[in-house]
Amino acid sequence: MLNQINGLHHVTSMAADAAVNNDFFTNTLGLRRVKKTVNFDEPSVYHLYYGDEVGSPGSVMTYFPFPHIARGRFGTGEVGTTVFSVPKGSLGFWAERLEAQGVTGVGRDESFGQQRLTFRGPDGDFFALVETEDDGRAAFVGNGIASAEGIRGFHSASLRLRDSGATEELLGFMGYQPVDTHEGIKRLAIPGGNGADFIDIETIPDLGRGQLGAGSVHHIAFSVKDRAAQLAVRNALLDTGYQVTPVIDRDYFWAIYFRTPGGVLFEIATDEPGFDRDEDTAHLGQALKLPTQHEHLRGRLEASLQPLA
């Protein structure tokens, strides 16, 4: 069993409109845009990162906003609901705020003994806020959101699968341990993690496979401290028979990717070097930052990319 994984690092999804996406995560949810860059493989498209003050691992939601992309189709083989941690007693504030701003799908429920507020993102994304008492992470405060209500980072993410057995085995190999079951959903946790510690598995054998599009999660990333830890994880996965990419430099972390038995794309991302490698903390996410290989396109990209507030 591996012991290098610290919980979630980031979750990357698809969107149809960059400005709408930016407004939702910064103004509605009150997260900080910590990086404004482009898709490494398609530089005409933004890659936007939102999180806490410094973009701590376990707090960062990222998006590829492809203009006019079709809406994704809900199904199995994908991340279902991305859940953020908020302070105890704050769900009333959030319910009023989300409803006042026209957010759809707002509803209350209880999951694993915790109060939860569910809602949908601009592209139909599935999200929830869960009240937690023991999350010591600091929220990014602003846009009418105080520390008593602010999002601390991820709490968990759910995986929708037709058959969960092989994925549960994989997560166990990655260091996750089963902790509870609620209404058929299995919860696994990483001991001593970074706060974004839980993965929930929903088994829905009769549901068809999801289709990637706006509102879909492209991949989910797990945190390791550094490149040495990442290499150990990569070698162990290869030895177990997984097809793992070479290490890829993503400027703000190094990444490896592999497809899980249930169809979900997993990434292992390093906590180093962080989002302040090319911007000081006070100005994170303000300037357009380009990978070295795309710097020669700056003039064209600055003229063609949609302006963001």
Side-chain angles (χ1 to χ4, degrees), residues 25-221:
F25 282 95
T26 59
N27 292 326
T28 301
L29 296 187
L31 299 178
R32 185 181 193 186
R33 191 179 70 214
V34 294
K35 196 61 58 180
K36 181 172 66 171
T37 183
V38 295
N39 186 311
F40 274 46
D41 301 316
E42 180 46 80
S44 65
V45 172
Y46 277 122
H47 193 176
L48 304 175
Y49 294 76
Y50 312 99
D52 65 9
E53 179 76 16
V54 296
S56 302
S59 78
V60 181
M61 192 81 206
T62 99
Y63 272 87
F64 300 134
F66 283 86
H68 314 301
I69 189 175
R71 181 71 65 92
R73 187 180 67 200
F74 167 90
T76 55
E78 62 181 2
V79 173
T81 303
T82 302
V83 185
F84 297 98
S85 168
V86 294
K88 189 79 170 176
S90 65
L91 288 189
F93 165 87
W94 280 107
E96 291 182 9
R97 182 180 180 90
L98 296 180
E99 289 169 357
Q101 297 201 25
V103 174
T104 62
V106 178
R108 291 242 202 172
D109 65 14
E110 182 177 303
S111 180
F112 293 95
Q114 296 173 303
Q115 294 299 309
R116 198 171 75 151
L117 189 72
T118 58
F119 59 100
R120 304 291 287 270
D123 293 292
D125 327 41
F126 289 83
F127 292 112
L129 303 173
V130 65
E131 290 188 342
T132 54
E133 294 187 85
D134 54 355
D135 191 339
R137 296 175 292 174
F140 179 66
V141 175
N143 295 315
I145 299 173
S147 179
E149 297 97 24
I151 291 172
R152 271 47 179 160
F154 297 125
H155 170 271
S156 57
S158 69
L159 308 181
R160 286 194 298 253
L161 307 173
R162 297 193 73 176
D163 185 332
S164 64
T167 300
E168 286 184 55
E169 184 177 346
L170 167 63
L171 287 166
F173 180 68
M174 291 169 60
Y176 281 82
Q177 299 178 6
V179 292
D180 204 354
T181 300
H182 175 75
E183 296 182 350
I185 299 172
K186 297 181 181 180
R187 171 160 288 180
L188 296 88
I190 200 81
N194 59 12
D197 299 339
F198 301 102
I199 295 291
D200 294 341
I201 296 181
E202 305 176 64
T203 305
I204 315 174
D206 298 326
L207 184 64
R209 191 171 180 82
Q211 182 173 319
L212 190 65
S216 302
V217 172
H218 184 272
H219 63 267
I220 183 170

Side-chain angles (χ1 to χ4, degrees), residues 8-28:
L8 296 180
H9 186 282
H10 65 269
V11 176
T12 294
S13 295
M14 315 286 283
D17 185 284
V20 170
N21 181 262
N22 180 75
D23 180 72
F24 180 78
F25 282 95
T26 59
N27 292 326
T28 301

